[in-house]
Amino acid sequence: MRIDVISIFPEYLAALELSLIGKARQDGLLDVHVHNLRDFTLDRHRTVDDTPYGGGAGMVMKPEPWAQALESVAGDRRPVLIVPSPAGTVFNQAMAHELAAESHLVFACGRYEGIDERVIEWAGESFDVRPVSLGDYVLNGGEVAVLAIVEAVGRLLPGVVGNPESLVEESHANGLLEYPVYTKPSSWRERDVPEVLLSGNHGRIASFRRHEQFRRTASRRPDLLEGLAAATLEPADLTVLGELGYDVVGGVLAHRYRSAEL
Ligand code: 6GU
């Protein structure tokens, strides 16, 4: 996969040289190119921003440096252009899987109040444009989002994560949060590892872990359970979910008291 990142803080992306993603680059699985937007300006001051039409606080990124930078990375195959923005679609594991199937991702890191909207419209002629948000809070620019998205996508590429089994049993892999994990010693500061995990009974261990996934998800992320298709659940799951307050209504999970509010 090829990745181009355009930013006025290219040093921010140095973290992509570290750890799993850095290793994937060394191994030739990921071809990452970071570009300084200021290299595409045409004035002596390398200006990338200007005041907003219509007034208001802050500055807006000028269109022409973006057009020059994007043209320089476009290629001929209609790459996906990810525009990090708190006004984007919220990123999740399903989107990470979709992006992992692409051959070329381009990231346009805005700063200030954002990029002149005409750039986003114009880019649609040669890119598949996707405004993407990390969640409902505001960052100063897109760079941190690029680090997060490249890491989430990169680890899904074949060969990046050493043991692909570890991608199966992790949070969001099956729409639920991950079960809690423990290691030695079995007793630590008067706290014992749940007995079932020492039992060697793989069936009991699997159902304990699944039970814990439901308990955790119900407590921390009830939004993930609400509306879940009951067809994906086993009878034993429905017993546990029933104890957690969930019923099946019209083929999907609904919390007994909360569903009307959601
Ligand atoms: Cl992707 N960008 C910015 N600037 N702020 C954000 C965000 C992205 N996601 C959440 N907040």
Side-chain angles (χ1 to χ4, degrees):
M1 173 184 282
R2 178 177 169 118
I3 293 180
D4 289 278
V5 185
I6 306 163
S7 163
I8 59 168
F9 294 119
E11 303 89 343
Y12 228 119
L13 287 310
L16 296 178
E17 284 159 30
L18 305 174
S19 189
L20 225 61
I21 299 299
K23 175 76 170 22
R25 291 172 74 173
Q26 282 176 7
D27 294 348
L29 301 171
L30 258 184
D31 182 22
V32 181
H33 299 258
V34 179
H35 312 269
N36 188 341
L37 180 68
R38 290 194 199 275
D39 292 344
F40 299 91
T41 56
L42 299 166
D43 66 313
R44 209 159 55 81
H45 300 289
R46 309 204 342 137
T47 312
V48 294
D49 62 340
D50 207 335
T51 54
Y53 277 117
M59 299 291 271
V60 173
M61 295 190 108
K62 292 164 65 64
E64 191 55 23
W66 277 111
Q68 295 293 332
L70 290 169
E71 278 173 342
S72 82
V73 301
D76 47 4
R77 295 232 277 157
R78 204 175 166 77
V80 171
L81 175 61
I82 297 162
V83 186
S85 160
T89 305
V90 177
F91 185 65
N92 63 13
Q93 192 65 15
M95 208 187 288
H97 278 280
E98 274 177 35
L99 295 176
E102 298 287 340
S103 57
H104 188 189
L105 306 180
V106 177
F107 291 87
C109 296
R111 284 260 151 185
Y112 317 114
E113 300 308 307
I115 304 171
D116 186 306
E117 188 63 22
R118 294 168 295 180
V119 174
I120 314 302
E121 293 168 20
W122 164 88
E125 293 174 15
S126 12
F127 295 85
D128 176 1
V129 181
R130 316 254 184 105
V132 174
S133 167
L134 288 191
D136 296 340
Y137 48 86
V138 178
L139 302 170
N140 286 329
E143 288 78 4
V144 166
V146 172
L147 296 178
I149 296 167
V150 170
E151 185 156 323
V153 171
R155 63 194 294 287
L156 297 177
L157 301 178
V160 173
V161 168
N163 179 2
E165 292 253 351
S166 50
L167 299 179
V168 179
E169 301 218 348
E170 63 187 5
S171 289
H172 304 293
N174 62 355
L176 300 173
L177 302 187
E178 190 42 351
Y179 51 76
V181 295
Y182 305 87
T183 187
K184 292 172 275 301
S186 63
S187 186
W188 173 79
R189 298 198 181 198
E190 283 161 26
R191 288 160 195 277
D192 294 342
V193 170
E195 172 282 314
V196 55
L197 297 179
L198 311 177
S199 72
N201 183 329
H202 300 296
R204 277 185 65 216
I205 291 172
S207 53
F208 168 79
R209 286 177 165 169
R210 196 158 166 85
H211 187 153
E212 290 300 301
Q213 285 197 280
F214 288 125
R215 282 180 6 110
R216 236 188 205 185
T217 308
S219 149
R220 301 179 185 176
R221 292 293 307 279
D223 58 301
L224 296 179
L225 292 179
E226 203 68 41
L228 196 75
T232 66
L233 302 168
E234 293 161 28
D237 296 339
L238 294 177
T239 308
V240 172
L241 285 162
E243 289 163 15
L244 293 166
Y246 290 86
D247 295 322
V248 177
V249 181
V252 301
L253 284 186
H255 192 276
R256 230 157 275 153
Y257 314 123
R258 268 198 308 265
S259 53
E261 305 158 28
L262 289 173

